[in-house]
Amino acid sequence: MDIEPRPSYPFEFRQADVMTLDPAFLASFDAIHASPPCQEHSATVHIHGPGRHLDLIEPTRALLVRSGKPYIIENVVGAPLIDPVVLDGPMFGLRVYRRRLFECSFFALTPQRPTPRVRGSTNAGRGYSSFAAGAKMICVAGNNFRRADGAAAMGIDWPATRAEIAQAIPPAYTEFLGRQLLAQVTAARAAA
């Protein structure tokens, strides 16, 4: 669900302003994963100045708590999330630097770092971050990467645009936390 249309999104999609939803509607789901806009907390906020972007983390959290359902809130490093789990591409063997925070309303583990740890330059200082230009890793922040390289590095196998990739999180992150969330939902059902 997003306020903006997402024609390339490969899963079920509803266009709506999440902040206007009735908590009873949200309660009809088993669990909720939310990604409020990150620009106000991004490292690049200095470009346009603080206070120019919506900060919906607190209202999102309040809405999710009112729903009574287990939830995850995703955002960037620097966002005011409560006891977040920190995930990054190398933790999953991905060739992308994409550190993100996840506030979970349930206990969640973090993955072990891979051995040997994936490291390398994005070569972003020399133009586009691309494997063809010798990059070992890809940085998908902004628009300084080739679309195909960003998709491959993030594990995105649907036809997303470069702008959509720049706003996305690697599916491996969602799958990792989603499995733990599913275990919580299953345990709650069994206990009921």
Side-chain angles (χ1 to χ4, degrees), residues 14 19 46-47 50 65 73 85 89 91 98 114 116 126 133 147 150-151 175 186 192:
R14 294 181 188 183
M19 301 315 301
H46 67 279
I47 294 171
V65 168
I73 301 174
V85 171
M91 294 173 153
R98 191 73 168 165
R126 298 185 203 114
R147 192 213 69 78
E175 180 181 0
T186 303

Side-chain angles (χ1 to χ4, degrees), residues 18-19 26 34-37 56-65 71-73:
V18 174
M19 301 315 301
L26 292 176
S35 295
L56 297 178
I57 291 175
E58 294 296 334
T60 298
R61 180 184 297 119
L63 186 64
L64 298 178
V65 168
Y71 66 84
I72 299 171
I73 301 174

Side-chain angles (χ1 to χ4, degrees), residues 22-28 32 62-71:
D22 183 343
F25 170 74
L26 292 176
S28 70
I32 304 164
L63 186 64
L64 298 178
V65 168
R66 281 194 312 270
S67 79
K69 296 298 181 171
Y71 66 84

Side-chain angles (χ1 to χ4, degrees), residues 58-188:
E58 294 296 334
T60 298
R61 180 184 297 119
L63 186 64
L64 298 178
V65 168
R66 281 194 312 270
S67 79
K69 296 298 181 171
Y71 66 84
I72 299 171
I73 301 174
E74 175 271 334
N75 219 275
V76 296
V77 173
L81 299 185
I82 299 171
D83 298 323
V85 171
V86 180
L87 300 181
D88 199 3
M91 294 173 153
F92 299 92
L94 297 174
R95 294 176 61 187
V96 65
Y97 292 125
R98 191 73 168 165
R99 183 169 288 177
R100 289 295 180 266
L101 306 180
F102 296 84
E103 176 181 322
C104 301
S105 67
F106 56 93
F107 177 75
L109 300 172
T110 58
Q112 293 182 339
R113 292 196 179 270
T115 306
R117 189 160 179 220
V118 179
R119 292 179 184 251
S121 170
T122 64
N123 281 353
R126 298 185 203 114
Y128 273 4
S129 181
S130 78
F131 295 130
K136 300 292 183 214
M137 303 290 285
I138 298 296
C139 177
V140 296
N143 288 304
N144 196 25
F145 62 95
R146 288 185 52 237
R147 192 213 69 78
D149 290 336
M154 298 244 299
I156 292 175
D157 59 2
W158 58 89
T161 66
R162 194 167 64 152
E164 290 168 333
I165 292 167
Q167 294 295 313
I169 57 171
Y173 298 8
T174 304
E175 180 181 0
F176 176 77
L177 290 173
R179 289 182 189 277
Q180 294 181 65
L181 182 55
L182 180 60
Q184 292 289 325
V185 169
T186 303

